[in-house]
Amino acid sequence: MVAAASVVVAIGTASGMLSALDDRQDSDTARPEVTTSPYLAPLPAVPTPSSASPGASPSTSPSPKKKASPTTSPTKTETAEKRQAPAASTRLYRHPESQVLEWVRANDGDPRHAVIESRIADQPAAVWFADFTPSTITSRVRAVTAGGSTQGRVPVVVPYAIPGRDCGGASQGGAPDLDAYDDWIDAFAAGLGSGEVIVILEPDSVAQADCLSTGERGRRFASLARAGRVLKAANPRARVYYDAGHSGWHAAAKQAGWLRQAGAASAASSDGVFSNVSNFHRTDDEIAYDRQVLDALGGPAGLGAVIDTSRNGNGAPADGEWCDPSGRKLGRTPTLSTGEARIDGYLWVKLPGESDGCKGAPGTFTPSYAYELAR
């Protein structure tokens, strides 16, 4: 990913849920407001220096190894895919509260409404839990998983509270220490229910671990391995995927070595890996990379991979821009039927249209950006 999969924006109540509401039809950027919904909006990759949180160290550019890699022109097949209005998956769950759905409901007269509704709002996307609120996390997770079970569909949830996330950068936050994180994961797992659910376990937690000391890395990986075991023990139908970064970041062998330490090769804690969260690398590149990681990882033959295809329809920008780069398009429709060996799903982990901090305020739904991605 670029520097981090999510930027945590300030929220004002103990419930820690964020949505966006806008009662102005000509508004371009929705106003973030706290609600009582169980939804925490997917948040962007990294902020611009001007939008960094007060405790974050400003940075003029992301580390080169984390920048989006140059890409070639889209193939005819990819071009045709991005022009088609995608049909919503019949298996993945679309949670009824999100920033894009709030905007669609409030802006029926906006000329961009039909495109944004049909191509983004109608699609299932992941639900992030990025705030450390132990007292409410079980009920909030349960609200999402119960909704999926009621509809016979599969929700995608993202626990994002590992201590030291984003290496102390703009997305810093989460649990105060690993003991508290372990307790939080226990509470998170208690909300998983008994139905099918996909867990995207801690974006950046493995791929970005090179900022940690050897001892810190070992302790984090041990906690992640425990987290996978706890999640799967709580709900044997939960599918837990670990952070593989993306095809433009670490070599597959290095990433697999870290993943093995974090429990990703054990059937007791893992169903495989995820890649490309909040990034732009082409699906074909991610498929090849994920298979290399899985081969190097070892473990049960049933381990697979899921890929974030929310914004990769045109691939990564040639200049390596990471913040709301222009010219990007929606990627493949979310589905659990990919037709590709060892690729378990294409998911929208990052919700298209939620800004990285350049085309709109960090973490807020920006209709102009959504429309650019969708049209």
Side-chain angles (χ1 to χ4, degrees):
M1 99 206 27
V2 191
S6 298
V7 169
V8 180
V9 294
I11 48 183
T13 71
S15 60
M17 277 69 78
L18 177 73
S19 72
L21 303 174
D22 193 345
D23 58 5
R24 297 168 297 164
Q25 296 221 346
D26 60 350
S27 172
D28 197 56
T29 302
R31 297 193 309 274
E33 294 184 11
V34 174
T35 75
T36 56
S37 110
Y39 180 78
L40 182 65
L43 301 176
V46 287
T48 57
S50 62
S51 63
S53 61
S57 300
S59 174
T60 56
S61 65
S63 169
K65 67 189 172 208
K66 301 175 187 175
K67 291 170 75 173
S69 300
T71 186
T72 56
S73 299
T75 64
K76 290 182 180 179
T77 300
E78 289 167 330
T79 302
E81 285 177 353
K82 77 180 182 183
R83 289 176 180 168
Q84 296 171 358
S89 167
T90 57
R91 290 206 62 210
L92 287 164
Y93 176 58
R94 187 195 71 165
H95 189 57
E97 297 294 334
S98 70
Q99 295 194 71
V100 63
L101 285 169
E102 297 273 3
W103 184 87
V104 164
R105 291 164 187 155
N107 292 276
D108 185 61
D110 192 293
R112 302 163 294 191
H113 181 276
V115 169
I116 291 174
E117 180 178 35
S118 65
R119 291 188 58 81
I120 297 178
D122 286 348
Q123 302 305 316
V127 181
W128 290 65
F129 299 86
D131 56 315
F132 183 69
T133 50
S135 64
T136 61
I137 190 63
T138 300
S139 61
R140 291 166 52 211
V141 173
R142 184 180 293 124
V144 176
T145 57
S149 293
T150 298
Q151 295 185 14
R153 298 188 178 186
V154 183
V156 179
V157 295
V158 186
Y160 185 62
I162 196 80
R165 67 185 186 198
D166 195 21
C167 297
S171 290
Q172 61 186 306
D177 54 51
L178 286 173
D179 286 341
Y181 178 73
D182 291 347
D183 290 342
W184 185 83
I185 281 291
D186 291 347
F188 189 102
L192 288 179
S194 58
E196 288 186 86
V197 58
I198 291 173
V199 182
I200 304 299
L201 180 60
E202 296 293 341
D204 292 327
S205 61
V206 178
Q208 205 177 33
D210 50 5
C211 72
L212 303 175
S213 70
T214 301
E216 290 170 334
R217 191 180 305 139
R219 288 188 290 274
R220 171 182 286 188
F221 290 168
S223 188
L224 288 171
R226 177 193 181 276
R229 292 193 301 269
V230 167
L231 294 164
K232 291 186 68 64
N235 179 357
R237 299 181 72 190
R239 297 184 62 83
V240 179
Y241 293 90
Y242 281 73
D243 171 36
H246 61 64
S247 59
W249 202 338
H250 298 303
K254 175 180 179 179
Q255 190 67 27
W258 282 356
L259 283 162
R260 195 177 304 110
Q261 294 177 54
S266 169
S269 55
S270 170
D271 291 278
V273 302
F274 64 82
S275 71
N276 208 42
V277 168
S278 295
N279 218 282
F280 307 91
H281 295 273
R282 292 191 186 285
T283 303
D284 288 348
D285 292 337
E286 293 305 300
I287 290 172
Y289 172 72
D290 288 342
R291 286 173 177 163
Q292 291 172 3
V293 170
L294 290 169
D295 286 345
L297 179 63
L303 295 182
V306 293
I307 299 167
D308 187 352
T309 58
S310 59
R311 303 190 295 179
N312 71 345
N314 265 0
D319 62 1
E321 178 57 62
W322 51 266
C323 185
D324 300 336
S326 296
R328 303 312 97 199
K329 296 296 178 183
L330 301 177
R332 299 185 189 184
T333 305
T335 182
L336 298 180
S337 300
T338 69
E340 294 282 351
R342 307 201 78 180
I343 306 302
D344 296 342
Y346 303 137
L347 307 177
W348 283 9
V349 182
K350 163 76 173 182
L351 187 62
E354 291 187 354
S355 176
D356 296 335
C358 290
K359 294 184 184 294
T364 57
F365 179 74
T366 305
S368 60
Y369 183 35
Y371 186 68
E372 179 183 337
L373 290 167
R375 63 184 177 181

